[in-house]
Amino acid sequence: MNTRTLVKNLAALPDGPVTVSGWVETVRDQKKVQFVILRDESGAVQLVNPATRELEEGADAAASARLATTESISALAHGTFLTVSGELKHDERVKLGGLEVKIGSLEVVAEANPETPIAADSSLDKRMDWRFLDLRHPKQHLIFRIQTTFEHALRQYWVDNDFIEIHTPKLMASASESRAELFEVDYFEGKAYLAQSPQFFKQMAQPAGFGKVFEIGPAFRADPSFTSRHATEFTSIDAEMSWVDSHEDVMRMHEELLVAAFTAVKEKHGAEILELFGIELEVPTTPFPRIPLAEAKQIVADRGYIIPRDDADIDPEGERQISAYVREAYGHDFVFLTDWDISLRPFYHMRHPERPTLTNSYDLIYNGVEISTGAQREHRIDVLVGQAKEKGLDPEELEFYLDFFRYGVPPHGGFGMGLARVLMLMLEEHSIRETTYLFRGPTRLLP
Ligand code: AMO
């Protein structure tokens, strides 16, 4: 049996017999010769077949087989999956990779319906309906190869720095962020909630003595909005570490981590990112700029944009404006917005020792969009209970969490970061639907 060669490996082979398998991208059916562009998961190759259109009298079995091959090529629908054995020939006149395969035998392994349901100009929603076809394109492949490299580099950094990987449960007895955006599910006689974040359980690792932990896993938010940056299920990248003096220590780890991951992506995929996305990927330099939120709002106002809501938050346009400023002033794509008002932060954020209306927390903005929230956590039980009450939470419901702080917990902090958002901004895509394998939103549960 001939073993299958991936298209990307053909270039290194000498002229001679090969077998390739893949999907039919195009067929050019000329009178004397037929061309098929075949794509597999590694690339595309031109197949060529001198056409046999009719049999002469007394034709042998080989001639009949050539006629059959010619007819089956004429009938090939886009997307049909083929295995072809033939002769590889290097020929620099062939535009596609300087080689072609002359078809010897051809097997239709799996036929495709002749009408392809999506085209290059289909709407994003339609493409999502047919995601498996949409994902066949080289650009989409690259997104998920980048994702693989990115996650691998995060793990490598954490493993090299003595972090422990944890997998926290996604079925919970209570909310982990806010009561809004909470999915409730039937759970035997009672109710359970889908985890909005691993927040409580990554913090639990601190009194458990794990020191430094990370998790890459799903998070669920019953967020009814239809923005380009929100999903109801997303992959959350989380870290939490003991012995921090403030959120500054968390930011330092966070930026080092991103430098490591962007370096790995650039090294492995930089050339392809340039070719397919037209982007010269930049590895950020450290330290990332840090701007207190109040100052950022002033900078944005000075640029002529007044954030409409008067509740001290920064809105998406404000994020774009501050990013534009940081690009101009520092030549940087990332900025930490620090010192958030307590009204904007959850009860578990530690407050600033000298300015108690502010928290030891940050948002990380990348190319105009928030990708992450981080903070030092309040670890003093009495202060924590007070802050929970102040936020209108019932400490009894939080008993399991509050217990973590009653038996010796080190000062700690961490962050959560949305995977699809980072990829979206890295590749200048317009929606996390493009950088999520299968998007989940208020009106999308399929496929
Ligand atoms: P936060 O709620 O800000 O913080 O979420 C952290 C990051 O997760 C991503 N994210 C989302 N991505 C897609 N769709 C959503 N609906 C969505 N919601 C959030 C964003 C966001 O910046 N527990 C804290 C983190 C911490 O303090 O450690 C938290 O969850 O990129």
Side-chain angles (χ1 to χ4, degrees), residues 417-444:
M417 178 165 74
L419 174 61
R421 283 201 195 175
V422 180
L423 295 173
M424 166 179 86
L425 296 156
M426 176 194 282
L427 299 171
E428 297 173 15
E429 288 285 339
H430 296 294
S431 168
I432 56 169
R433 288 159 185 75
E434 300 279 8
T435 52
T436 304
Y437 181 63
L438 285 171
F439 174 76
R440 286 290 176 262
T443 57
R444 183 164 290 283

Side-chain angles (χ1 to χ4, degrees), residues 54-355:
E54 53 197 48
L55 290 184
E56 285 164 14
E57 259 195 20
D60 59 5
S64 303
R66 284 198 297 276
L67 177 67
T69 299
T70 302
E71 286 174 346
S72 59
I73 291 172
S74 299
L76 284 176
H78 170 87
T80 296
F81 191 86
L82 299 182
T83 290
V84 168
S85 294
E87 288 289 310
L88 170 68
K89 189 157 173 281
H90 291 265
D91 179 349
E92 57 194 27
R93 288 168 304 170
V94 180
K95 274 206 208 107
L96 188 62
L99 52 83
E100 62 184 9
V101 174
K102 187 171 166 223
I103 296 174
S105 67
L106 173 153
E107 182 197 351
V108 173
V109 180
E111 276 181 25
N113 282 355
E115 294 296 324
T116 307
I118 51 168
D121 59 352
S122 294
S123 70
L124 182 53
D125 212 42
K126 184 96 190 278
R127 282 169 40 216
M128 294 293 116
D129 288 342
W130 294 96
R131 187 62 164 154
F132 65 96
L133 295 177
D134 184 50
L135 286 173
R136 271 187 200 167
H137 293 281
K139 241 176 129 168
Q140 331 290 44
H141 278 205
L142 182 57
I143 291 175
F144 294 95
R145 281 192 283 119
I146 291 168
Q147 178 179 285
T148 306
T149 303
F150 186 76
E151 285 188 51
H152 182 74
L154 299 177
R155 279 206 168 79
Q156 191 67 54
Y157 172 89
W158 279 320
V159 169
D160 290 347
N161 287 280
D162 278 337
F163 283 67
I164 295 176
E165 181 164 14
I166 55 173
H167 296 290
T168 63
K170 305 306 161 201
L171 285 167
M172 297 190 49
S174 64
S176 42
E177 287 298 314
S178 72
R179 288 220 144 263
E181 303 184 355
L182 190 59
F183 279 117
E184 185 178 284
V185 295
D186 289 335
Y187 197 69
F188 304 104
E189 260 71 72
K191 296 284 179 201
Y193 304 96
L194 298 184
Q196 298 158 301
S197 153
Q199 185 64 37
F200 291 167
F201 299 129
K202 65 178 179 169
Q203 283 192 261
M204 193 194 85
Q206 313 309 312
F210 278 29
K212 298 187 272 189
V213 295
F214 72 92
E215 174 168 7
I216 301 177
F220 303 87
R221 307 263 171 116
D223 184 335
S225 58
F226 287 87
T227 75
S228 58
R229 52 166 86 179
H230 288 97
T232 50
E233 177 176 353
F234 64 96
T235 301
S236 185
I237 298 165
D238 280 85
E240 196 72 25
M241 58 185 196
S242 289
W243 314 116
V244 301
D245 289 331
S246 76
H247 54 311
E248 179 56 39
D249 291 334
V250 183
M251 290 191 283
R252 217 170 297 130
M253 180 265 287
H254 202 162
E255 61 194 7
E256 269 183 24
L257 174 77
L258 284 169
V259 167
F262 273 66
T263 303
V265 169
K266 188 170 173 78
E267 269 172 18
K268 190 151 183 191
H269 308 290
E272 281 173 293
I273 293 175
L274 184 59
E275 184 192 332
L276 294 180
F277 288 87
I279 294 167
E280 183 81 60
L281 185 66
E282 260 183 61
V283 176
T285 51
T286 56
F288 296 2
R290 288 137 164 82
I291 304 179
L293 181 64
E295 206 179 294
K297 289 180 68 187
Q298 190 55 52
I299 291 167
V300 169
D302 292 346
R303 290 171 68 88
Y305 178 67
I306 306 298
I307 296 164
R309 278 167 40 215
D310 192 25
D311 58 3
D313 202 350
I314 189 158
D315 68 350
E317 180 55 28
E319 289 175 354
R320 277 191 284 279
Q321 291 286 340
I322 196 67
S323 267
Y325 164 80
V326 168
R327 174 103 303 262
E328 289 158 23
Y330 300 88
H332 216 284
D333 292 334
F334 290 82
V335 56
F336 287 118
L337 299 184
T338 61
D339 300 346
W340 287 65
D341 197 273
I342 55 173
S343 64
L344 300 167
R345 294 310 219 193
F347 76 99
Y348 57 78
H349 281 200
M350 183 176 274
R351 294 181 183 178
H352 200 284
E354 279 107 47
R355 288 168 296 158

Side-chain angles (χ1 to χ4, degrees), residues 376-411:
Q376 179 176 14
R377 322 304 184 180
E378 181 52 67
H379 61 279
R380 297 160 297 182
I381 181 66
D382 47 332
V383 182
L384 188 61
V385 170
Q387 289 184 183
K389 282 188 189 151
E390 225 178 86
K391 290 272 178 191
L393 302 172
D394 177 1
E396 254 175 52
E397 247 188 64
L398 289 170
E399 238 4 62
F400 80 98
Y401 171 71
L402 296 172
D403 274 345
F404 304 161
F405 302 86
R406 294 192 168 107
Y407 299 89
V409 62

Side-chain angles (χ1 to χ4, degrees), residues 18-85:
V18 288
T19 298
V20 289
S21 293
W23 295 269
V24 173
E25 200 159 87
T26 54
V27 178
R28 253 192 310 142
D29 196 4
Q30 297 169 357
K31 190 155 183 277
K32 293 225 163 73
V33 61
Q34 299 170 301
F35 295 99
V36 178
I37 303 297
L38 193 79
R39 181 174 292 283
D40 71 7
E41 59 268 44
S42 70
V45 62
Q46 174 164 293
L47 311 178
V48 58
N49 185 53
T52 300
R53 298 289 175 183
E54 53 197 48
L55 290 184
E56 285 164 14
E57 259 195 20
D60 59 5
S64 303
R66 284 198 297 276
L67 177 67
T69 299
T70 302
E71 286 174 346
S72 59
I73 291 172
S74 299
L76 284 176
H78 170 87
T80 296
F81 191 86
L82 299 182
T83 290
V84 168
S85 294

